[in-house]
Amino acid sequence: MKVMEPEDYKKDIIVETYPDLIVTTPSEWKYSRGKGVYKTKGRVSKLYPEVTRGDEVIVAGIQIELNPLYHLLLHNSTVGISYQFVKDNVSTKTGFFSTLILANPFLEIAREKITRYIE
């Protein structure tokens, strides 16, 4: 593994797995001759970023002081799949009935950095 930016990076690289990523498939309407129109059950399945041994992977994130890199975006150049670990917007309640919604500034910085290395 190699760190592209910052160039003078001399610390250990920590690799983390993501066993808790879950994707839900919503229920949908279907038709069959025997049942007529019916609604299917929604499903829940685990999702892992599309990475296998030998793939060229680019990860962009932020590093705060001595903590490890907080990953925000992952791009697998071998298969051409990108994965986003955080939401586009950050929201917080500002009263009983109002919410403040802000664009995630760290995600924009990570997108700028990762586009330099994606061909």
Side-chain angles (χ1 to χ4, degrees):
M1 292 177 57
K2 177 182 174 187
V3 175
M4 305 289 280
E5 212 176 294
E7 292 178 5
D8 60 345
Y9 189 84
K10 301 288 183 212
K11 299 177 187 171
D12 291 336
I13 299 171
I14 297 172
V15 178
E16 185 178 352
T17 58
Y18 307 94
D20 59 343
L21 293 176
I22 295 175
V23 171
T24 57
T25 304
S27 57
E28 56 185 32
W29 291 101
K30 289 199 171 186
Y31 172 78
S32 74
R33 277 197 244 157
K35 293 182 180 179
V37 176
Y38 67 97
K39 198 169 190 177
T40 63
K41 282 187 176 180
R43 290 191 217 141
V44 176
S45 61
K46 291 217 173 204
L47 172 74
Y48 300 96
E50 300 291 332
V51 177
T52 56
R53 185 181 300 270
D55 287 354
E56 182 179 326
V57 176
I58 302 167
V59 178
I62 58 169
Q63 186 175 13
I64 301 170
E65 294 180 9
L66 301 174
N67 296 327
L69 177 75
Y70 181 70
H71 44 275
L72 300 173
L73 297 172
L74 177 143
H75 179 76
N76 187 336
S77 297
T78 307
V79 293
I81 293 176
S82 293
Y83 190 83
Q84 183 173 319
F85 293 101
V86 294
K87 294 182 180 180
D88 289 323
N89 297 321
V90 178
S91 63
T92 184
K93 292 244 181 213
T94 57
F96 286 113
F97 301 109
S98 59
T99 304
L100 176 66
I101 299 173
L102 300 170
N104 190 339
F106 295 120
L107 191 57
E108 292 302 317
I109 294 167
R111 281 189 182 130
E112 286 175 16
K113 295 213 180 257
I114 205 166
T115 54
R116 294 183 204 169
Y117 299 104
I118 296 176
E119 296 175 345

